[in-house]
Amino acid sequence: MAEEVLFKVIIIGDPTVGKTSFVHRYVNDSFRRDYKMTIGVDFALKVIRWSDRCNIKLQLWDIAGQERFTSMTRVYYKDAHACIVMFDLSQKNTFQNAVRWKKDLDSKCQLADGAAVPCLLLANKCDLGQREVEQEEIEEMCKEHDFLGWSETSVKEGTMIDESMK
Ligand code: GDP
Ligand code: MG
């Protein structure tokens, strides 16, 4: 019998950066969409066969149209094990706001042991070729604000989706 481990993973970032598309792309055929209108969150479940003995279940929380810094984000962040902060490479302001999202998370939520929630930074829409943010800036921001790491992605073309999540 394989052990099953469940992790809550939240996805944050400005409107239109590609969060919902990312969840669809990553989860694809096992996609489930449960509308929770009270808090405006979509959930999807991705099961990963990690090893013979372990399945990992990622419960992905998509903030779905509530992308503002309000008291509501505290509810959304609660008990998160990990976080993806996404921005749009072709929209500089979404990169600047990625820092605000990270700070909002850190100010409202920690792991059970008090450590910061591990965050991955995703620079989406690399297919567009309308880059407003250079790699050096991302690298610097990633270090300064304690992200685990970052990757460019194209949800549209399916570039670096599984790789970055792994
Ligand atoms: P959300 O508001 O962050 O959930 O963003 P959506 O997933 O709704 O995507 C916003 C728009 O960006 C949609 O029109 C998507 O088709 C588009 N989009 C998402 N990812 C990409 C990408 O990697 N490349 C391009 N060119 N468009 C994308
Ligand atoms: Mg969305």
Side-chain angles (χ1 to χ4, degrees), residues 14-22 62 67 124-128 153-157:
D14 279 1
T16 77
V17 297
K19 302 181 299 297
T20 301
S21 308
F22 177 84
D62 176 13
E67 299 108 325
N124 193 36
K125 307 198 187 183
C126 68
D127 59 280
L128 281 179
T153 56
S154 167
V155 172
K156 187 179 176 190
E157 296 182 346

Side-chain angles (χ1 to χ4, degrees), residues 145-160:
H145 295 282
D146 298 316
F147 285 91
L148 286 180
W150 70 279
S151 174
E152 291 190 9
T153 56
S154 167
V155 172
K156 187 179 176 190
E157 296 182 346
T159 311
M160 289 298 287

Side-chain angles (χ1 to χ4, degrees), residues 22-164:
F22 177 84
V23 173
H24 278 260
R25 167 69 80 185
Y26 182 54
V27 175
N28 58 56
D29 26 332
S30 61
F31 186 69
R32 278 181 54 219
R33 208 176 167 93
D34 296 331
Y35 287 101
K36 299 273 155 127
M37 291 314 292
T38 47
I39 50 170
V41 169
D42 277 354
F43 300 97
L45 193 69
K46 171 90 172 177
V47 182
I48 301 164
R49 192 171 169 79
W50 194 253
S51 72
D52 289 345
R53 282 175 299 153
C54 183
N55 286 329
I56 291 179
K57 283 185 171 178
L58 295 183
Q59 187 185 55
L60 297 153
W61 290 49
D62 176 13
I63 200 165
Q66 300 261 318
E67 299 108 325
R68 284 166 292 133
F69 304 101
T70 65
S71 54
M72 222 55 228
T73 57
R74 188 186 297 277
V75 177
Y76 175 76
Y77 297 158
K78 192 173 185 298
D79 301 325
H81 297 100
C83 174
I84 298 161
V85 181
M86 182 174 272
F87 70 94
D88 177 346
L89 269 174
S90 70
Q91 301 281 340
K92 180 112 194 186
N93 65 312
T94 68
F95 173 67
Q96 289 152 349
N97 281 335
V99 174
R100 295 184 61 198
W101 279 106
K102 174 78 162 71
K103 287 183 176 167
D104 190 58
L105 172 68
D106 288 342
S107 70
K108 293 175 180 166
C109 181
Q110 288 82 38
L111 297 182
D113 66 1
V117 175
C119 282
L120 174 67
L121 181 64
L122 294 184
N124 193 36
K125 307 198 187 183
C126 68
D127 59 280
L128 281 179
Q130 297 166 12
R131 171 186 288 276
E132 288 190 0
V133 191
E134 295 307 321
Q135 292 188 349
E136 296 72 36
E137 293 177 81
I138 305 173
E139 187 69 42
E140 198 172 308
M141 192 276 247
C142 183
K143 283 191 187 132
E144 188 179 339
H145 295 282
D146 298 316
F147 285 91
L148 286 180
W150 70 279
S151 174
E152 291 190 9
T153 56
S154 167
V155 172
K156 187 179 176 190
E157 296 182 346
T159 311
M160 289 298 287
I161 306 298
D162 284 359
E163 294 87 342
S164 57

